[in-house]
Amino acid sequence: MVEHFALVLGRKPNHSRGVGIRAVNRVGEEMIKLREQIEALDQRAAAAQERAEVAEQRAQAAEQCAQVMEAQVCAMVQSNAQLQEEQQSQRDELNSLRDTQSGEVARLVRQQLDQQMADFLTRINSFLQPSSNGQIS
């Protein structure tokens, strides 16, 4: 008879001769709940791990960007320093040319003034010298 019950009802875990044992069923239910909780926690942990990996990748990308930018800033600083040196050199050269030019201009002005003075004195002398007819021109 027991075998017939077993054939008709089938064998179920935590059941004896088709009759469930409550304590065993509760433990099974709690184990199922705990397994579900463990699976949910595992899924959360996997998701958190994935987010952490993404954040790590972003941090590495940001660090690489920062290194590239730092290299660019260094290159710009060096370029700026070279340009400032060239600009100072050009300023010095311009100041030298100005000094030379102003000295040259002063020399030319003196020379022209001397020439004008010489011409003026020549005119004065020609007026002061008596002409061939005895009159002052």
Side-chain angles (χ1 to χ4, degrees), residues 1-132:
M1 186 94 160
V2 175
E3 290 179 18
H4 292 291
F5 267 134
L7 286 174
V8 172
L9 296 175
R11 296 206 180 259
K12 296 182 183 176
N14 302 326
H15 281 76
S16 175
R17 295 185 186 161
V19 179
I21 301 172
R22 284 188 182 174
V24 174
N25 287 340
R26 283 187 189 156
V27 170
E29 289 173 0
E30 288 179 15
M31 286 183 66
I32 290 171
K33 287 180 184 178
L34 287 175
R35 283 187 190 140
E36 289 173 352
Q37 288 176 356
I38 290 172
E39 287 176 9
L41 288 174
D42 286 344
Q43 289 175 353
R44 287 183 193 154
Q49 179 67 28
E50 191 174 318
R51 286 192 303 270
E53 289 173 0
V54 168
E56 179 68 26
Q57 289 173 352
R58 286 182 183 166
Q60 288 175 352
E63 187 174 335
Q64 289 174 350
C65 263
Q67 290 173 351
V68 167
M69 289 177 150
E70 186 177 351
Q72 289 175 345
V73 166
C74 286
M76 285 182 176
V77 166
Q78 289 175 349
S79 176
N80 191 22
Q82 288 175 347
L83 289 173
Q84 286 178 348
E85 288 176 10
E86 288 176 16
Q87 188 179 26
Q88 186 61 41
S89 173
Q90 289 173 353
R91 280 184 187 149
D92 293 344
E93 187 176 341
L94 280 174
N95 287 337
S96 174
L97 288 172
R98 266 192 216 129
D99 292 345
T100 302
Q101 187 179 21
S102 63
E104 184 68 22
V105 167
R107 184 188 66 77
L108 289 173
V109 166
R110 277 195 307 270
Q111 184 181 8
Q112 192 169 8
L113 285 174
D114 289 346
Q115 182 65 36
Q116 287 175 354
M117 187 62 104
D119 290 345
F120 183 68
L121 288 176
T122 304
R123 282 187 188 168
I124 289 176
N125 283 336
S126 68
F127 286 121
L128 292 178
Q129 288 181 359
S131 61
S132 57

